[in-house]
Amino acid sequence: QVQLVESGGGLVQPGGSLRLSCAASGPGFTFSSGYMSWVRQAPGKGLEWVSTISDLGRRTFYANSVKGRFTISRDNANDMLYLQMNSLKPEDTALYYCATPKTFSGTYGSSRKEDYDHWGRGTQVTVSS
């Protein structure tokens, strides 16, 4: 069974930075063979796709709301996914999940739960003064 474990969340002031991590594991799961995504859910709202990275990390994609502030990356040697978040805003407050997309359009990711095969439990990010 594939396991995705997020970490790195916390409370940060507006304008601050955080780096989220996601550790992937599981029998038969080849981390380097698939795209990976970050998806978030703000309190009382639905899922929102944040970012996706290609299998070898050569292509990255971002939601307009985070473009220029967030950077997705991966370490295939250690089965790790990252999200560097800078210039954080209160509206970035959410539970952040890493997930494995079933497919990817090549432009924007899906915000639908059923479009992902595996999910972590999430890490909470709170941006507040």
Side-chain angles (χ1 to χ4, degrees):
Q1 183 175 354
V2 176
Q3 276 199 320
L4 302 174
V5 181
E6 303 92 338
S7 62
L11 173 63
V12 63
Q13 292 187 340
S17 297
L18 281 175
R19 188 194 195 205
L20 306 185
S21 300
C22 172
S25 64
F29 177 61
T30 306
F31 179 77
S32 60
S33 68
Y35 282 42
M36 293 293 297
S37 296
W38 288 98
V39 180
R40 68 186 181 185
Q41 187 167 25
K45 297 190 176 181
L47 294 171
E48 178 190 15
W49 170 73
V50 174
S51 181
T52 295
I53 188 167
S54 62
D55 50 356
L56 299 182
R58 292 172 182 166
R59 295 193 297 166
T60 57
F61 310 87
Y62 299 94
N64 289 334
S65 58
V66 306
K67 197 173 295 183
R69 300 187 298 121
F70 290 11
T71 302
I72 191 171
S73 62
R74 64 191 298 165
D75 176 358
N76 284 347
N78 292 295
D79 295 352
M80 294 292 296
L81 176 71
Y82 302 102
L83 186 68
Q84 177 67 43
M85 305 186 297
N86 298 330
S87 303
L88 282 161
K89 305 175 181 180
E91 51 264 43
D92 294 318
T93 295
L95 189 60
Y96 283 71
Y97 300 95
C98 69
T100 58
K102 293 181 179 178
T103 60
F104 187 72
S105 68
T107 305
Y108 295 103
S110 170
S111 296
R112 303 192 312 165
K113 186 175 183 179
E114 58 267 33
D115 289 337
Y116 296 85
D117 285 318
H118 306 288
W119 293 79
R121 291 188 176 184
T123 185
Q124 178 67 41
V125 172
T126 302
V127 185
S128 174
S129 55

